[in-house]
Every structure is written in C-alpha cells, then in structure tokens.
C-alpha cells in the first residue's frame, strides 16, 4: 500500500477530492481535504519531520494519537500531533526537534 495520492485520472473509485496546500518549513506541500497533517507529509514522501532527544529522526509511530513522535507546530501552536490534526488549506507547519538545548 502506498501513501501517495492517487491521480484523478487513474482512480478506479473516481473520488472527487478537494485540493489544499499547506506550508511546511516555508515549502508549499499539496494535499487533499480530509487528510491529516501526517497524511499530507507522508504523501509528500516525508518519513520523518522532527528529531528526538538523541537526534534520531521521528515521524508517525502509532498513527492514532497515543504516542508523541509526530509532533509539529501548526500555525504557531507547538506540540500538535500530526496524526490527529486535519490539514486545512493555508496551514503553516513548522517541524520540531527535542535535541538537547532546544527551548520548549
């Protein structure tokens, strides 16, 4: 199973998706209305978007909001779980890290 968005011309189900665009660290990323922030990031080919205390990359782990590996800043609000937050057109996403020395 691929996390990529299926192009409308090859979609056997013939979905009528509403496109949206979020900005991730200043880069526009396309998505579809109804996707979570994590879903948009995964469809864009990103597997990690923050660093843990050890510096190791983190992304989606559980995908249901139980862990805190997918944290991002959304429109200035820190520590938002990307797997739980629906993406909205125009959202400004900033990646985070928990490396030693970073302010919370």
């Amino acid at each position: 199973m691929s996390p990529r968005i299926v192009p409308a011309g090859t979609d056997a189900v013939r979905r009528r998706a509403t496109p949206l665009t979020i900005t991730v660290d200043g880069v526009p990323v396309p998505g579809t209305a109804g996707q979570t922030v994590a879903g948009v990031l995964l469809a864009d080919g990103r597997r990690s978007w923050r660093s843990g205390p050890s510096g190791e990359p983190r992304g989606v782990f559980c995908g249901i909001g139980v862990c805190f590996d997918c944290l991002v800043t959304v429109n200035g609000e820190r520590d938002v779980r990307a797997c739980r937050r629906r993406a909205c057109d125009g959202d400004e996403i900033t990646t985070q890290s928990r490396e030693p020395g970073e302010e919370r």
Side-chain angles (χ1 to χ4, degrees):
M1 182 170 174
S2 172
R4 305 275 189 262
I5 295 175
V6 177
T10 60
D11 186 2
V13 179
R14 294 193 170 97
R15 294 178 191 95
R16 301 253 189 252
T18 304
L20 59 83
T21 302
I22 63 173
T23 304
V24 181
D25 293 332
V27 177
V29 178
T32 302
Q35 282 183 300
T36 62
V37 171
V40 173
L41 294 172
L42 289 169
D44 190 49
R46 299 171 190 237
R47 298 292 172 258
S48 62
W49 45 83
R50 77 175 193 93
S51 300
S54 66
E56 292 295 317
R58 299 283 191 228
V60 172
F61 180 70
C62 72
I64 59 172
V66 175
C67 74
F68 293 87
D69 274 355
C70 64
L71 297 178
V72 292
T73 300
V74 180
N75 301 325
E77 182 182 345
R78 285 185 57 90
D79 300 332
V80 175
R81 287 177 278 184
C83 68
R84 300 274 309 176
R85 169 71 157 65
R86 297 268 180 212
C88 296
D89 195 34
D91 275 348
E92 300 264 344
I93 311 296
T94 308
T95 55
Q96 299 182 183
S97 72
R98 289 287 188 251
E99 293 181 24
E102 183 195 348
E103 264 186 58
R104 258 194 110 184

